[in-house]
Amino acid sequence: MRKPLFITLEGTEGVGKTSNMEFIKSILKEKNIDFIETREPGGTPMGEALREMLLGEDFKGMSDDTELMLMFAARAEHVAQVIKPALEKAQWVLCDRFTDATYAYQGGGRQLDVKRIEGLENWVLGDLRPDLTLLLDAPISVGRARAGKRSTPDRFEQEMDGFFNRVRDAYLSRAKAEPDRIKVIDASGDLLSVEKQISVLINSVIN
Ligand code: TMP
C-alpha cells in the first residue's frame, strides 16, 4: 500500500490558496486518492472556536505569546483528533496552513523567538512533519491587491506591509533551508501558470 502523504499549502494573504486548494483536490480525486481536506487554525470544533478568537475582533489585543500558544493549542487538538487518525487509516491529508505558518507569522511577522516555536513544535508534533509543502509566493503588493477585493479584513489582514514582508521572508528562508520538502511556487502570474507548477509537483509525489 502506498504511504499516505501529508501535504500542506502555505502563503501570504491573496496568493490564491483557496482556488489552488480546489485544484489540488481535483488532481487527487482524478487519481482516486483517498484524502481529507482540513485547515489551520481550525480543523476541529475546538480549533474552529480558537480560530474565531485568533482572527476575530473580540480579543484583538491578545499578547503575541498568547497568540502563539493558541495556535499550538488548536494544532495539538487537530493533530490528535484529525491528522494522525487520517494518516493511520491511510488517508492523505491536505491541510491549508500548518506549522510553517507559525514560523512565518509568529516568528517572522511578530518576531517571536524561533526557539520557542521549535520547542512547541517538537512537543506538539513529536516526529510528525508534512511530507510536502507548497509555498505560494508573490510580492505582498500583488497579494494585497487581490485580497483587497474581498470582505472585511481579519486580525492578521489588518497588519501593515512591514509585517507581511517579514512573513514572506520567513517563509522563503524556511524553503531555502528545507528545499526537498518546501516547494516555492511563483504565484504572481495567472492561475493557469500556477496550476501548471502545482500539477508537476503533485504528480511527482503521486508517481
Ligand atoms: P487563512 O487560513 O484563512 O489564510 O487565515 C488564517 C490566518 O491565521 C492567516 O492570516 C495566517 C494566520 N496563522 C498564523 O498566524 N499562524 C499559524 O500558525 C496559522 C496556522 C495561521
Side-chain angles (χ1 to χ4, degrees):
M1 195 177 55
R2 182 193 281 166
K3 174 186 175 291
L5 296 187
F6 177 20
I7 301 175
T8 61
L9 192 60
E10 299 281 356
T12 49
E13 326 301 300
V15 288
K17 267 189 313 105
T18 312
S19 19
N20 288 301
M21 192 71 159
E22 290 307 311
F23 180 67
I24 299 170
K25 279 160 60 186
S26 72
I27 302 178
L28 298 184
K29 279 184 195 152
E30 197 185 303
K31 302 276 180 184
N32 286 321
I33 289 168
D34 185 13
F35 70 95
I36 60 155
E37 178 196 3
T38 187
R39 70 170 179 182
E40 289 209 347
T44 63
M46 186 187 266
E48 292 295 327
L50 291 169
R51 181 185 176 93
E52 284 280 322
M53 290 186 179
L54 282 158
L55 269 58
E57 291 291 312
D58 290 356
F59 304 102
K60 217 169 171 250
M62 75 174 72
S63 79
D64 294 348
D65 286 344
T66 306
E67 181 181 289
L68 172 66
M69 288 187 277
L70 289 183
M71 288 291 176
F72 270 103
R75 183 162 299 136
E77 200 63 11
H78 193 205
V79 166
Q81 307 287 349
V82 176
I83 298 178
K84 279 191 176 165
L87 294 170
E88 276 158 17
K89 281 190 281 178
Q91 287 179 305
W92 288 34
V93 175
L94 184 56
C95 190
D96 182 347
R97 297 194 188 280
F98 198 62
T99 312
D100 293 301
T102 314
Y103 282 100
Y105 283 77
Q106 282 65 50
R110 303 279 189 234
Q111 300 178 289
L112 290 179
D113 185 350
V114 168
K115 291 224 157 39
R116 295 227 161 122
I117 303 176
E118 282 169 359
L120 287 165
E121 178 182 39
N122 291 332
W123 177 15
V124 169
L125 302 188
D127 57 9
L128 175 75
R129 297 290 182 276
D131 298 294
L132 173 69
T133 297
L134 303 180
L135 171 58
L136 296 170
D137 177 65
I140 299 308
S141 56
V142 172
R144 278 260 193 226
R146 290 184 193 152
K149 295 178 193 142
R150 297 203 292 257
S151 56
T152 346
D154 65 35
R155 207 170 62 84
F156 290 99
E157 289 163 346
Q158 290 170 24
E159 291 293 336
M160 299 291 157
D161 282 1
F163 176 90
F164 285 109
N165 279 314
R166 289 196 300 277
V167 171
R168 184 184 182 205
D169 289 348
Y171 267 138
L172 290 173
S173 59
R174 285 187 68 70
K176 215 168 168 191
E178 282 189 69
D180 290 341
R181 174 176 70 85
I182 307 180
K183 304 293 180 189
V184 182
I185 292 166
D186 177 1
S188 58
D190 59 26
L191 196 57
L192 206 66
S193 76
V194 179
E195 286 181 349
K196 269 191 196 149
Q197 300 172 67
I198 291 180
S199 174
V200 170
L201 289 167
I202 295 289
N203 281 305
S204 75
V205 292
I206 291 175
N207 297 321

